[in-house]
DNA sequence: TTATTTTCTGAACAGCGTTCGGATTATAAC
DNA sequence: GTTATAATCCGAACGCTGTTCAGAAAATAA
C-alpha cells in the first residue's frame, strides 16, 4: 500500500506535518488564522514549498476534513456494542455531540467548507445515500438505528425507510451542533442533544399517534 | 423614526442600494464573489466610498443577514393561523425548508457567518433563549409548538419545557437544511423535512414509550 | 562522476479589506 | 449671494491573501 522508498516516506512525512500544522492552527487560532503562510511558517517552509505536496489550500483543508471524519468515527466507535440497542444509539449521539463540542472549529470546517463527497472519492454523480453509507461516521449511527429496528424497538413509518430514519437522527444532531457552535453555546450541547434525541426516538417507538 | 431630511433620505437610499447589490451578488455569484470591490462596482462607487455607509464588510453582511431573517419571518408568516395546530406547525416547517432551499447561499450565510445575536441588538451576555425569543423567525415556529401544547396535542416531557421543545424542531430543520445545502441536495429537502418533522411531532404526542 | 529528478525558495502577481489625504459636493449661516 | 461647515466620494496606498514561476539546492539514478 503505502510505498516504501525513502523518498516516498519522506514525502509522506512532510504531508503529515503539513496537515498536522493546519490542524493545530485551526485549533489554536480558528479558521481565520489558517493561511498557507501560517502553515508554512510552522513547518519552516516557504509558502511556495507547500505546493509540492498539495495542489491548493482547498486540498489541504479537504485532507484535514477527511482525517476529521476518521477521528469522529473513532469516537463513535468507542461505544460498547453490548449495550441495549436504544442505549447504544443514545451513547453514539452523545459521542457525536461531544466531538462537536470539543472541536467546534474543526466540526464547522468539516461540514461547511466542502461537500461530504470529499470524505470518500470525489464523485458528483453518486447520490447522497451512496455517499453517506460509505462514510464511517454516518455508518456508526446508521447501524445503531438499524439495531433498534431489527429488535422491534423502532417502527419504520410507512412512507420512510431505514436510511431516512438514520438521516433524521443525524439532522437533529447536526442542527443542534451547528446552532450551538454558531452561538458559542457548546456547553449546553450535550444536555440539549440528549433530550432531542430521546424525543425523536420516542417518535419512532410509537406506531400511531397519541 | 426614519428621519426625513433630504440628506438622510439619500443616505438611507444608498445604504439600501449597497445591501441590494450585496444580496444580488450573493445570489448570482455565491459568497466567494461577495467582495467590497464587487459591491462598489455594482453601484458605481469606489470601494472606499462604501465605508461612508458601513464600517466594514462584516457590517454589510450583518445587515444583509438581518434582512434575511425578516424575509424568513415573512415567509413563515404566510401560514394560515386558522389551521389546526399540528398542521400549522407542519406548514411552518415546510415554509422554513422552502426558504432554505430557495436561498441556499443566503441561508448558509445567515447561520454560519455571525452568531444569531446579530439579528437583534448585539449583546454577548444574553442567553440563547433570550436571543431566540426575540427573533421573529424563531418565534413563528415557537408559537406553533406552543399551540400544540396548549391544545393538549403535545406533551411536555418531564425534563423539558416549551422553549426546548421548539428548539428541537428548529434543530432538525436547520440540520436538514445545512446538510442538504452543503451537499447540493436542496431538491430533496422539502420531502425529507416533512417526514423528519412528523416523527419528531409523534415523539411529543406519545406520553410514554411504546 | 555525470545526468536526472525531486525539493525548496525568493520574487512577483492579482486580488482582498481597509485607511487616508484631498477633491468635490451639498447643506447651513450670515 | 457668499462664505463656512459638514457630508460624500475617489485615487492611491498598505498589508494581507492564494498562487505561479524561474532557478538554486539537494537527493537519487546511471
Amino acid at each position: 500500500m503505502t510505498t516504501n522508498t525513502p523518498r516516498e516516506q519522506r514525502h509522506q512525512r512532510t504531508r503529515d506535518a503539513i496537515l498536522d500544522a493546519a490542524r493545530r492552527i485551526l485549533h489554536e487560532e480558528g479558521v481565520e488564522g489558517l493561511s498557507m503562510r501560517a502553515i508554512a511558517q510552522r513547518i519552516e517552509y516557504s509558502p511556495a514549498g507547500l505546493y509540492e505536496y498539495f495542489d491548493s489550500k482547498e486540498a489541504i483543508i479537504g485532507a484535514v476534513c477527511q482525517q476529521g471524519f476518521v477521528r469522529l468515527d473513532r469516537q463513535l466507535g468507542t461505544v460498547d456494542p453490548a449495550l441495549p440497542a436504544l442505549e447504544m444509539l443514545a451513547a453514539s449521539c452523545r459521542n457525536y455531540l461531544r466531538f462537536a463540542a470539543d472541536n467546534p472549529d474543526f466540526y464547522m470546517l468539516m461540514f461547511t467548507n466542502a461537500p461530504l463527497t470529499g470524505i470518500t472519492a470525489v464523485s458528483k454523480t453518486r447520490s447522497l445515500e451512496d455517499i453517506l453509507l460509505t462514510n464511517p461516521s454516518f455508518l456508526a449511527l446508521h447501524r445503531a438505528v438499524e439495531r433498534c429496528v431489527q429488535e422491534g424497538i423502532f417502527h419504520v413509518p410507512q412512507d420512510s425507510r431505514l436510511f431516512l430514519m438514520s438521516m433524521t437522527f443525524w439532522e437533529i444532531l447536526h442542527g443542534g451542533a451547528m446552532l450551538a457552535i454558531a452561538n458559542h453555546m457548546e456547553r449546553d450541547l450535550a444536555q440539549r442533544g440528549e433530550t432531542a434525541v430521546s424525543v425523536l426516538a420516542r417518535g419512532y417507538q410509537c406506531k400511531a399517534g397519541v
Side-chain angles (χ1 to χ4, degrees), chain A residues 72 75-77 79 83 85-98 140-145 173:
Chain A
L72 173 55
Q75 187 147 330
L76 291 179
V79 306
L83 284 172
L86 208 56
E87 290 180 31
M88 184 176 164
L89 176 60
S92 295
C93 293
R94 244 194 313 273
N95 275 7
Y96 185 98
L97 293 177
R98 189 153 51 87
L141 209 66
H142 184 65
R143 273 197 275 266
V145 176
L173 290 172

Side-chain angles (χ1 to χ4, degrees), chain A residues 4 33 62 68 74 80 86 93 96 104 130 137 150 155 161 168 184 192:
Chain A
N4 277 339
R74 264 203 295 269
D80 181 8
L86 208 56
C93 293
Y96 185 98
D130 286 342
S137 300
Q150 284 172 344
H155 304 287
R161 56 205 170 81
T168 59
H184 311 110
R192 255 215 319 279

Side-chain angles (χ1 to χ4, degrees), chain A residues 168-183:
Chain A
T168 59
F169 279 95
W170 197 19
E171 284 172 6
I172 206 165
L173 290 172
H174 182 58
M178 292 296 274
L179 286 173
I181 292 173
N183 293 283

